[in-house]
Amino acid sequence: MRSLLAWLMMVLAPPAYAHDAATGWSYDAFCCNGSHVSGDCQTIPSRSVRVTRNGYEITVGPGDHRLVTRRHDFTLPQSNARRSQDEEYHLCLFPDEDTLRCFYAPDMGY
């Protein structure tokens, strides 16, 4: 009986894709290790990002990203940012919270 119940739950569960953002678009496979619940990529608050003439200054602390346990300051040239598909900023940290793997930024209008 248990195995039947487990099988039904697996069959009826909605699909979860490993490299999907919470809003449904897919992170690049290189960037993401996990799912939108347990992975290393997720949306970060726009207050965490400062756009400068040299690129981006990203400051995250506990609560801004699921893997972050202390304050981190990252800088990234604009040419290294990937295009966000939902007008939000996203940060991928891998293999640990000290390593910025990928950063997604929305298109900027001038």
Side-chain angles (χ1 to χ4, degrees):
M1 182 67 175
R2 269 191 201 160
S3 61
L4 177 61
L5 183 59
W7 180 81
L8 277 173
M9 288 174 59
M10 286 181 3
V11 169
L12 298 176
Y17 301 103
H19 303 285
D20 284 356
T23 55
W25 59 276
S26 295
Y27 295 115
D28 298 309
F30 168 80
C31 298
C32 186
N33 296 282
S35 69
H36 73 277
V37 175
S38 65
D40 48 12
C41 294
Q42 80 172 70
T43 305
I44 59 170
S46 58
R47 66 174 161 68
S48 299
V49 180
R50 185 168 163 248
V51 180
T52 68
R53 62 184 290 181
N54 295 322
Y56 297 94
E57 293 177 359
I58 305 155
T59 301
V60 290
D64 293 335
H65 188 285
R66 73 177 60 81
L67 298 180
V68 173
T69 62
R70 63 187 184 288
R71 181 184 163 122
H72 293 277
D73 296 304
F74 300 106
T75 57
L76 186 77
Q78 206 166 31
S79 61
N80 288 4
R82 295 168 187 255
R83 185 176 174 273
S84 170
Q85 296 179 33
D86 63 2
E87 302 306 313
E88 300 288 338
Y89 292 104
H90 298 258
L91 184 64
C92 303
L93 302 171
F94 184 80
D96 55 37
E97 71 178 280
D98 299 318
T99 309
L100 187 155
R101 176 88 170 217
C102 295
F103 174 70
Y104 292 84
D107 289 335
M108 297 191 313
Y110 294 96

